Amino acid sequence: MKDSNCIFCKIANGEIPSTTLYEDKDFRVILDLGPATRGHALLIPKEHYKDLFDLDDETGAKVLLKAKRIASRIKTALGADGFNLVQNNGEAAGQTVFHFHMHLIPRYRDDHAGIHWKPGKTTPEEMEEVKRLIDHQ
Ligand code: AMP
Ligand code: ZN
C-alpha cells in the first residue's frame, strides 16, 4: 500500500527525485538530505509501513540483508572507519518521517557525528523487574 500524503512513498516510488544509490522492486536507497556524515543514506521500502511494528515479516527479513550489502559498498567506496545502522520508531525515539526507513551511516574517526547515549544506571532488582514484565507479556 502507498500513502498519497507520504513523502517517502513518493521518493521510494520515484515520484519525487532523489539521489538514488540502489533500487529494486522492494526498496530504494537514497542519500539523506541532512547527512550526519558523508555518505549517510536511507534504505526505504516502496510500500508504506509507518514503523518497525507495522512492517510485514517478508520485507522485514530483507531489510538487514539489503542494509548489509549497501553499507559494505558505502564503507569501501568512501573509506569509512566504522558504520552505524540506526532505525527510529515513534516521535519519542526521534522518528520524524513516519514511513519505515533504516539509516545507513558511515563513520569516520573523529567525525563528531554524536550518535551515542549516556550510559544510565540500573540495579539487579530493576533488571529482574524489567525481565519479568517482558517475559509475562
Ligand atoms: P528519522 O528522524 O529517523 O525519521 O529520519 C528522517 C530522515 O529523513 C532525516 O535524516 C532527514 O534528513 C531525512 N529526509 C527528510 N526528507 C528527505 C528528503 N526529501 N530526501 C532525503 N532525505 C530526507
Ligand atoms: Zn509512505
Side-chain angles (χ1 to χ4, degrees), residues 1-15 26-30 32 42-56 59 63 86-91 94-103:
M1 219 186 74
K2 323 289 191 248
D3 177 337
S4 58
N5 294 316
C6 172
I7 186 168
F8 277 12
C9 279
K10 295 193 171 108
I11 290 174
N13 292 282
E15 287 167 48
D26 301 314
F27 297 97
R28 185 184 292 266
V29 178
I30 67 167
D32 195 296
L42 301 171
L43 170 63
I44 308 174
K46 291 188 174 180
E47 292 294 314
H48 183 83
Y49 308 100
K50 68 176 164 40
D51 58 21
L52 178 70
F53 308 105
D54 193 35
L55 195 61
D56 80 301
T59 307
V63 164
V86 175
Q87 201 277 304
N88 300 324
N89 299 283
E91 218 175 300
Q95 186 176 10
T96 58
V97 178
F98 294 89
H99 174 129
F100 176 94
H101 51 280
M102 174 86 82
H103 294 263

